[in-house]
Amino acid sequence: MSAHTKELVDTSVVTESDELLVFVKGGSSITSFRPLFSHDSKYLFVIQGRSVTVFSSASGEVIHELQCRNKSVIGIAIHPKNPLQIISCSSDGTVIYWDYLDGVELRVYKIRFGCSAFCMPFQDGSISVVSSKQEGEYKLLRLWFGEKKVNKISFLLKNVLPDEKMIAFGKKGEFVAAVNKQTLYTLSIDENKLRSHLIGGRTFTCVTAHPSETCVATGDNSGRILLWYNFLDAKLPPKTVLHWHALPVSDCAFTSLGSHLYSVGSESVLVKWTIGHKQHREFLPRLGAPLSHVVCSSDNTLIAVHLADNSLQVITSHFIIRQVIQGLTHNHVRQKASGLLPAGLLYDPRSQSLVMNGKVGHLQFFSLQTNKQLYNLDIVGQNVVSAHRHQAIVYTEVENAALSDNGDWLATVQRRQDDWSMHEITLKFWSYDCDTQLYKLNTRVDLPHTQKVNRLLFRPSSETHGNTPLAVTCSDDEKFKTWELVDDTDIYRKNECWSCEACGYYKNYAAKDGAFSDDGSLLAVAFDHMLTLWIPENNALKLALSVPGSQEPITRVLFGRLSCAHLLLMSTNTKLVVWNLLTCCIEWCKEMNIVMMCMDPLTEHLAAATEENELQVFHASSSTPVYTHKRVSDSRVVCGIFLPSTGECTGTHKWQQSSQLYVLNEKQELLTLEKERAPGTTSTRGTIAANLPPTPFSLLLAQIAKTDSNHAGGQLQKQIGNPGLTVVKEVSVYYT
């Protein structure tokens, strides 16, 4: 199942008089705030940026997307007098009452100050928000609404934190408890009696209140849970200690009757405590990632937990996983040696999906058409264990990946590097199995290079070389290697495998990047600041180029497409340089601090993003950008890709007619540029039928769809083709 949204980025600025805006196509966090069950547990409400997505808790399908204006949503609550309504609050103080069954707005209120947290514990319809006039000084307020505006505001607490897990209301709003560092603040709202309680040596991480008794549960950074009693009157209230977690408690929640308490943490285990019997506890282990939030339905039948990989699991009270709602998987295990998303963005022509790093040691396949994750492919095959409190765990990560044009072959490079042992580097080739529709391991090469592999790529398919598969790896060990598919048949079976056929080097420089020409007849390899040109068939060096007076290492190399196939593009940290291979001269050069550059496979356009997150789109033959977006993301752009357009053109520019540009930022949000759309609610109730039992007719349609998908790779290859073949042949002949 999938969570998806199309969210406007606050920093969207266009420099031209068009309507292109930045939308979040995938990767928007679904785990930043607590989810919420409906009164009957049939629906689950999840905050995603500027929207609230309504899921079916039984099927996991999206029912509605409630678009909440211009700012991010910071909290949601069920209306205490009408359980068929929910209330959302945005960071700019916009409070919206929704009919979630029909997906329509009922009332909108505008608070005159910003909000950081929101809840609605009171039976009279008033709300409570956390706000601040000065940064770092947050106050808890109570607000009453009239017909059109706020009628009354009262002060409750100061020194609170802007986090919903740090504030809890009990007994339907009779008291409030808040934690801040080592202090627990409690307030009897009716009597206006405030008390504070200290604990030494530990820091609070969360607080939750018993639904019917004067009792709160607090979690701290040592993994301990404290049950506090009589805290409104006693200076030293009695406490019960519940301690199982070895790492900080992320969140805890009482059941609606208060007989049980659920707690979660970074151990990836859901713990169920029985109140009054602290030694009686139940566990649901190995949930796959650290847990950040836990909530319980009002009928005690369902529990929802948030995972650090941007997923949500709906679990029954008997600890059976009922549904998994998965957005674009976030890599929650950051490897210092590998960085964020080292494999970049790839396109799988068979499934028409994006391929990128997912869970540590995995590649995820994400469909843009359905906004769903298709599957995670386990490349490394390793166990992920709980984090250590004082020491980081080093895992093997997929650092490079490449797909052949038709999707028949997938190549990966995985590496593990710590501070005391030798590099573990493995090159793997995976073949696509049409029967299982999965990639299966064909060849494994241990230590293909002695240092980090910087680039892995396949040669494009072409008639000039008989469609013989060829792969290239470029490494810091000052070499690049070519790998070919060879016959490995013996008396026992018929088989093919990959073997190293050639090795190239240039002046003891590290091989930083590589690229094939449109027809695969030329290979460009960047050695430090030198750009070299090779013939792949015989590994012959034909040309070496360098920018006069520059010793900057080359970070990216690309060949032009179509009518620009004779152009070779290279980028450094400060400039973008385009070479004309027919004249061996620089065609044009532009000063840019580039962090991302990608080429459109269907046109002559390329996109480049700078350190300031400025996006520029060029025609390869000109240094004048055809489009500029001043700030395409509010966090650093990591990678980008052009994909063939699958439907109606979403842009207004010529460079968007054939392809759509997608970029991924450090928040792991997948962004794209589209023309402005009218705000509204997206209903997807029709997709629920997808979970009904199959019929003979539906199975027939599925078989037809499967047959069509098998031909998708060939169709894409024909679309991309080799229109620049004539120009590239001229270049090859020129240097032969």
Side-chain angles (χ1 to χ4, degrees):
M1 298 302 157
S2 168
H4 65 281
T5 184
K6 290 190 177 179
E7 171 194 342
L8 278 163
V9 175
D10 293 340
T11 55
S12 177
V13 179
V14 288
T15 59
E16 303 177 7
S17 58
D18 54 24
E19 297 178 347
L20 285 188
L21 296 173
V22 179
F23 287 82
V24 178
K25 184 66 175 178
S28 181
S29 175
I30 66 173
T31 61
S32 299
F33 301 93
R34 282 174 175 160
L36 177 68
F37 282 104
S38 61
H39 71 289
D40 55 5
S41 304
K42 291 183 179 180
Y43 304 103
L44 185 64
F45 310 103
V46 178
I47 296 175
Q48 292 182 264
R50 288 184 180 86
S51 66
V52 177
T53 306
V54 184
F55 291 95
S56 167
S57 58
S59 66
E61 291 293 324
V62 176
I63 307 302
H64 288 298
E65 286 184 26
L66 310 178
Q67 301 293 337
C68 302
R69 307 300 172 95
N70 298 323
K71 294 294 182 178
S72 298
V73 182
I74 51 91
I76 49 177
I78 297 288
H79 197 296
K81 296 183 178 180
N82 187 347
L84 298 180
Q85 295 180 13
I86 65 169
I87 298 94
S88 67
C89 180
S90 300
S91 59
D92 64 346
T94 301
V95 178
I96 304 178
Y97 286 67
W98 297 91
D99 182 333
Y100 62 81
L101 292 179
D102 294 331
V104 296
E105 292 182 1
L106 300 177
R107 297 190 302 278
V108 180
Y109 296 95
K110 186 68 175 70
I111 306 173
R112 61 177 181 268
F113 45 80
C115 302
S116 302
F118 164 82
C119 54
M120 195 173 188
F122 308 105
Q123 298 302 300
D124 60 357
S126 59
I127 68 170
S128 182
V129 298
V130 175
S131 182
S132 67
K133 292 184 178 180
Q134 297 180 358
E135 187 175 356
E137 297 182 5
Y138 294 94
K139 297 179 180 180
L140 182 64
L141 307 175
R142 183 178 181 181
L143 293 81
W144 287 263
F145 290 116
E147 292 184 2
K148 296 183 179 180
K149 62 179 182 178
V150 177
N151 283 347
K152 181 182 177 182
I153 300 177
S154 68
F155 169 80
L156 295 179
L157 281 176
K158 64 179 180 179
N159 297 326
V160 298
L161 295 176
D163 187 344
E164 60 182 352
K165 293 193 294 185
M166 301 298 184
I167 303 169
F169 287 85
K171 299 178 70 174
K172 298 182 179 180
E174 292 184 12
F175 70 87
V176 59
V179 292
N180 189 343
K181 297 180 180 179
Q182 298 179 349
T183 305
L184 168 66
Y185 299 97
T186 61
L187 173 69
S188 174
I189 296 177
D190 293 336
E191 300 177 4
N192 196 26
K193 183 168 60 177
L194 175 67
R195 284 194 178 276
S196 61
H197 308 282
L198 297 174
I199 60 169
R202 296 177 173 91
T203 301
F204 288 116
T205 56
C206 60
V207 62
T208 188
H210 195 282
S212 57
E213 299 179 6
T214 307
C215 170
V216 296
T218 60
D220 60 39
N221 61 346
S222 69
R224 187 180 64 168
I225 298 173
L226 294 179
L227 298 179
W228 301 70
Y229 301 93
N230 196 28
F231 47 81
L232 294 176
D233 299 316
K235 293 183 178 180
L236 296 174
K239 299 182 287 291
T240 300
V241 179
L242 308 177
H243 201 168
W244 176 87
H245 294 277
L247 299 172
V249 179
S250 298
D251 197 11
C252 53
F254 282 102
T255 58
S256 60
L257 297 178
S259 58
H260 294 89
L261 175 73
Y262 291 95
S263 63
V264 295
S266 296
E267 302 89 356
S268 305
V269 179
L270 174 63
V271 185
K272 181 180 181 180
W273 306 84
T274 301
I275 303 301
H277 303 276
K278 66 178 183 178
Q279 298 302 323
H280 184 269
R281 51 190 181 233
E282 300 175 51
F283 305 95
L284 181 60
R286 296 182 292 277
L287 291 178
L291 308 179
S292 58
H293 296 92
V294 58
V295 295
C296 186
S297 63
S298 58
D299 58 5
N300 298 326
T301 59
L302 297 177
I303 305 101
V305 294
H306 275 159
L307 277 69
D309 64 353
N310 199 34
S311 66
L312 184 151
Q313 294 188 10
V314 180
I315 303 168
T316 68
S317 57
H318 301 292
F319 280 3
I320 299 173
I321 298 177
R322 181 176 182 179
Q323 198 58 246
V324 176
I325 298 172
Q326 177 69 68
L328 193 66
T329 299
H330 289 181
N331 186 358
H332 64 279
V333 182
R334 302 291 178 87
Q335 297 296 293
K336 183 178 179 181
S338 301
L340 178 66
L341 301 169
L345 292 175
L346 306 172
Y347 179 68
D348 177 23
R350 288 185 173 273
S351 59
Q352 297 183 358
S353 61
L354 268 180
V355 183
M356 69 194 83
N357 294 95
K359 298 179 181 179
V360 61
H362 291 66
L363 290 178
Q364 62 174 316
F365 290 70
F366 184 80
S367 173
L368 291 170
Q369 284 72 37
T370 60
N371 286 318
K372 293 183 179 181
Q373 184 189 96
L374 302 181
Y375 60 94
N376 265 297
L377 180 62
D378 189 356
I379 301 297
V380 176
Q382 65 185 345
N383 290 325
V384 178
V385 298
S386 298
H388 195 279
R389 183 178 289 272
H390 303 295
Q391 183 179 1
I393 300 176
V394 180
Y395 292 100
T396 303
E397 183 59 288
V398 182
E399 292 193 341
N400 305 90
L403 278 160
S404 59
D405 281 351
N406 53 15
D408 286 346
W409 292 98
L410 167 68
T412 61
V413 174
Q414 62 192 52
R415 183 174 73 107
R416 182 183 184 276
Q417 179 187 1
D418 51 34
D419 297 330
W420 56 273
S421 64
M422 185 178 177
H423 283 194
E424 298 176 16
I425 303 175
T426 304
L427 170 65
K428 293 181 179 179
F429 291 94
W430 308 73
S431 61
Y432 185 80
D433 189 326
C434 293
D435 294 331
T436 62
Q437 296 190 5
L438 293 173
Y439 285 96
K440 293 185 176 180
L441 183 62
N442 173 270
T443 305
R444 173 185 174 126
V445 182
D446 290 320
L447 210 63
H449 292 272
T450 58
Q451 296 294 328
K452 182 179 183 294
V453 176
N454 297 313
R455 183 71 168 153
L456 170 64
L457 66 157
F458 279 102
R459 177 168 63 178
S461 301
S462 175
E463 298 176 358
T464 58
H465 45 74
N467 294 322
T468 303
L470 179 74
V472 173
T473 54
C474 303
S475 172
D476 279 341
D477 64 0
E478 303 170 356
K479 297 179 179 66
F480 76 89
K481 294 182 179 180
T482 58
W483 306 82
E484 287 189 357
L485 187 64
V486 298
D487 186 22
D488 189 38
T489 302
D490 56 24
I491 61 174
Y492 300 104
R493 85 281 189 263
K494 185 178 181 180
N495 190 42
E496 293 178 315
C497 70
W498 289 80
S499 175
C500 181
E501 293 299 315
C503 177
Y505 59 92
Y506 185 84
K507 291 187 177 180
N508 297 324
Y509 292 145
K512 292 297 185 182
D513 197 19
F516 277 103
S517 61
D518 214 10
D519 70 337
S521 62
L522 292 175
L523 171 65
V525 181
F527 288 94
D528 197 57
H529 66 283
M530 298 295 299
L531 186 58
T532 60
L533 211 60
W534 305 73
I535 303 298
E537 282 73 19
N538 55 15
N539 209 38
L541 175 63
K542 291 299 179 182
L543 184 66
L545 302 169
S546 66
V547 178
S550 176
Q551 298 291 319
E552 276 191 297
I554 299 171
T555 57
R556 194 76 171 96
V557 178
L558 293 171
F559 269 95
R561 302 290 184 181
L562 305 179
S563 63
C564 297
H566 61 291
L567 299 179
L568 184 58
L569 302 87
M570 54 164 271
S571 66
T572 67
N573 289 330
T574 60
K575 61 174 67 70
L576 170 61
V577 181
V578 178
W579 290 89
N580 188 326
L581 296 182
L582 296 177
T583 61
C584 298
C585 295
I586 295 177
E587 186 81 4
W588 57 270
C589 179
K590 188 177 181 66
E591 296 291 332
M592 295 178 66
N593 51 348
I594 296 177
V595 296
M596 183 280 296
M597 185 171 72
C598 60
M599 192 78 194
D600 186 354
L602 301 181
T603 69
E604 298 92 343
H605 294 99
L606 70 139
T610 67
E611 285 281 0
E612 296 77 22
N613 296 324
E614 181 181 27
L615 177 70
Q616 295 189 19
V617 180
F618 299 88
H619 191 281
S621 62
S622 173
S623 62
T624 303
V626 298
Y627 180 80
T628 300
H629 203 99
K630 283 296 183 184
R631 192 167 173 82
V632 73
S633 171
D634 57 359
S635 63
R636 186 175 183 269
V637 174
V638 177
C639 49
I641 190 173
F642 280 95
L643 297 182
S645 298
T646 56
E648 179 185 357
C649 178
T650 57
T652 58
H653 289 265
K654 183 179 179 181
W655 61 273
Q656 292 182 303
Q657 301 306 308
S658 302
S659 304
Q660 186 71 18
L661 174 65
Y662 297 90
V663 297
L664 204 66
N665 62 17
E666 284 188 335
K667 293 182 179 179
Q668 302 185 56
E669 296 172 329
L670 187 65
L671 310 176
T672 189
L673 291 166
E674 297 180 355
K675 54 189 175 184
E676 187 175 6
R677 301 174 181 178
T681 300
T682 303
S683 177
T684 55
R685 282 177 285 186
T687 60
I688 296 179
N691 286 326
L692 297 178
T695 63
F697 182 67
S698 66
L699 293 176
L700 176 62
L701 292 178
Q703 181 61 37
I704 295 175
K706 177 181 176 181
T707 304
D708 292 341
S709 66
N710 288 336
H711 299 292
Q715 293 174 357
L716 178 63
Q717 180 181 334
K718 292 179 182 179
Q719 291 176 358
I720 297 176
N722 296 299
L725 178 60
T726 304
V727 179
V728 175
K729 281 183 176 179
E730 292 178 4
V731 176
S732 301
V733 172
Y734 182 81
Y735 293 114
T736 302

